[in-house]
Amino acid sequence: MLTTKIQERTNLANVLYDKIFGANVNSEKIFLKTKNNNISYKKFTELSNKIANSLTRNGLQPGDRVAIQAEKSVTQLAVYAATIKAGGVYLPLNTAYTANELKYFISDARPKIIILDEKSFNLTKENLSDIEALFFTLNQDESGSLIDSIAPCSTKFSAISRGEEDIAVIMYTSGTTGKSKGAKLCHRNLKTNAEILEKSWMFTENDVLLHMLPTYHTHGLLVACNLLAMVRGSIIFLPKFTSQDAIKWMPSATTMMGVPTFYTRLLDDPKFDKKVSKNIRLFISGSAPLSTETHKMFKKRCGHSILERYGMTETNMSTSNPYSGARKAGTIGKALPGVEIRITDQATGEVLPDGNTGVIEQKGDNVFLGYWEMPKKTLDAFTPDNFFITGDLARRDKNGYITLVGRDSDMIISGGLNIYPKEIENLIDEIDEVLESAVIGVPHPDFGEGVVAVVVLKEKLIYPNNIKNTLQSKLAKFKQPKFITFAENLPRNAMGKVQKNVLRKQYKGLFKK
C-alpha cells in the first residue's frame, strides 16, 4: 500500500514459497488429481524445481516477469510455483485474449519470459515480433518447448529470497476507460489472505477441493490453489466446468469453489441431488453476485447453504459469509479478519452509518501495492488515509452483513470475468454504418450478467451478425455481446451523458429463462 513501511531485507527467506510451496516437499500425498493421473506433492515440487532451474538458466532475475497464456494443466500451475521460487513475478493471461489484446499486456509488463501454447504462439508471433523476450510454448497435453527446456534440469532448487513487500503476481484488471491496469500483488497479500481463509473456512489437510475454475484468475489461482497447497490438502484439478464432470467427481471431494454459473447449471441437471453432494462440507461462490433465488433453490435441492464471499483482483478476498452461523442469501457476508471496510458517500467521501448505500472502501494486508507503472492511477485509487476505493456500491446492516447494490462504473461481470463497455463500444463505433453505441450488462441466469449492445445506425443499414463477425477477431469471446439491438437514439441526461441505467432497466428481462 502507499505508506506501508518496507520490511528489513536481512536474512529473508522467500515468504510465499516458505508458507505455501515449501513444506512437505517430499510428501507422497496427492496434491493434484487429474482425469489422467495423480500428482504427489513430491512430484509437483520436482517439476516446479526443474522449471525454476530453467527460468534462472535462461536469465530470469528477481523481479522479472514471467507471462503465460496457456491452457490449464499441471505444468502450467507448476510454472506459477517455479516463478515464485525463482524470485520472479508471475503474470497469468486469460486464454481467450486475442493477439491484439495480448500485445498490450506484454508491451506494458515487459516480461523476460513469455510462455504460450503453440496455437496461440503461431497466431500471435508476427504481432509480437518486436517484443524483446524469450518465448516458450506449452500445450494442454504438456508438450512444447518449455518441456524440452526443463528435461536436463535438476529436480533440486534453492528458493530465491523475497520479502513480504516484493511483488509476487501481476494480474491485469481494467478501468472504466477500458485501459487495463496491472494490479501488483505482493508476497504479504497472498500469504496473509491464505492464512485468513484457512481459519475462516476451516480448511485442513483432509480437504479435497473440486477445482473447475480457470487458473489465470484470482479465484482459481490465488484463492483455490494457494489455500489448498498451504494446508497440504488435495485438489481435483479439472480443465473446466461441466455439470457432468462436477456430478462425477463431487462424491470424492469435501469442498467446491465456483462462480454462480456453476451452481445454476448444477440446478439445471436433474442428476444433481443430496446423494451426489453428501460428502461436501462447503460450497463457496464468488467472482459475481449469487442471486437469492439460486441460494434458496440450491439449499432446497441438496440441503447446503452456499457460502458467498467477495473479493477483487486488487484485494484478494475481503468479506465472507460465516462458516458457522447464518449465511444470508443476497449478501457477501462480513469483513474478514484483518480487513477494515467502510461505506462512504460517493460525492463527499464521508463515512456513512449502517443502512446507507455508498462505496466500499477497504484497508488491510489483503490490499494490493498499486498499479504497475501507473502512479497517478494508484494515487487516485486510494484515500489519503490509505483505504482502497473499490468502486462497488453496497450497504451494511446492523449485524455487519454487506449487500452489493451496484457499481459506480459501468463494469460488467459475466461468468466471473470483468468486462468494460468502453472497449467494446470503441470497436463498434469504428464500424462505418454505426453512429454510436452503448454497451450494458443485464441479468443473465447463467453468467450473472450478459453483455448487450444498443447501437444507433447512420442511414446505411447493417445486420447484428455483421457486427458480431467484426468483433470476433478483436475481442475475447467472453466480452462479445450476447445480444445486439438497434435504437433510433440513446437516452441522455441534461448534460448529454448516456443514461445506461435507463437502458439496463429497459433490457433487464432480456435473458430470462
Side-chain angles (χ1 to χ4, degrees), residues 24-36:
N24 298 333
V25 293
N26 292 316
S27 172
E28 295 293 347
K29 181 178 179 178
I30 300 303
F31 175 37
L32 302 173
K33 301 181 179 185
T34 73
K35 288 185 175 183
N36 300 317

Side-chain angles (χ1 to χ4, degrees), residues 419 424-425 428 439-440 450-455 467-468 471-472 475-485 511:
I419 300 168
I424 306 170
E425 289 165 356
I428 294 175
V439 171
I440 57 172
V451 180
V452 174
V454 183
V455 180
I467 298 176
K468 286 183 178 180
L471 298 180
Q472 276 181 355
L475 285 174
K477 189 174 180 180
F478 70 86
K479 298 179 186 178
Q480 295 170 21
K482 298 187 181 303
F483 187 81
I484 297 173
T485 187
F511 296 117

Side-chain angles (χ1 to χ4, degrees), residues 402-472:
I402 298 169
T403 301
L404 290 175
V405 298
R407 290 178 292 278
D408 68 349
S409 71
D410 293 324
M411 186 179 75
I412 301 164
I413 301 179
S414 184
L417 300 173
N418 293 354
I419 300 168
Y420 290 83
K422 192 66 177 176
E423 180 184 17
I424 306 170
E425 289 165 356
N426 287 342
L427 291 172
I428 294 175
D429 292 350
E430 288 175 358
I431 299 171
D432 289 340
E433 295 88 347
V434 173
L435 178 64
E436 61 178 349
S437 63
V439 171
I440 57 172
V442 300
H444 191 287
D446 282 337
F447 296 98
E449 288 184 306
V451 180
V452 174
V454 183
V455 180
V456 179
L457 297 175
K458 300 173 185 175
E459 292 184 0
K460 191 174 181 181
L461 296 178
I462 189 173
Y463 294 101
N465 279 345
N466 295 119
I467 298 176
K468 286 183 178 180
N469 292 338
T470 300
L471 298 180
Q472 276 181 355

Side-chain angles (χ1 to χ4, degrees), residues 144-165:
S145 63
L146 178 68
I147 303 302
D148 298 335
S149 80
I150 70 173
C153 294
S154 171
T155 58
K156 298 185 183 301
F157 185 84
S158 296
I160 305 298
S161 294
R162 300 298 280 163
E164 289 200 343
E165 302 299 312

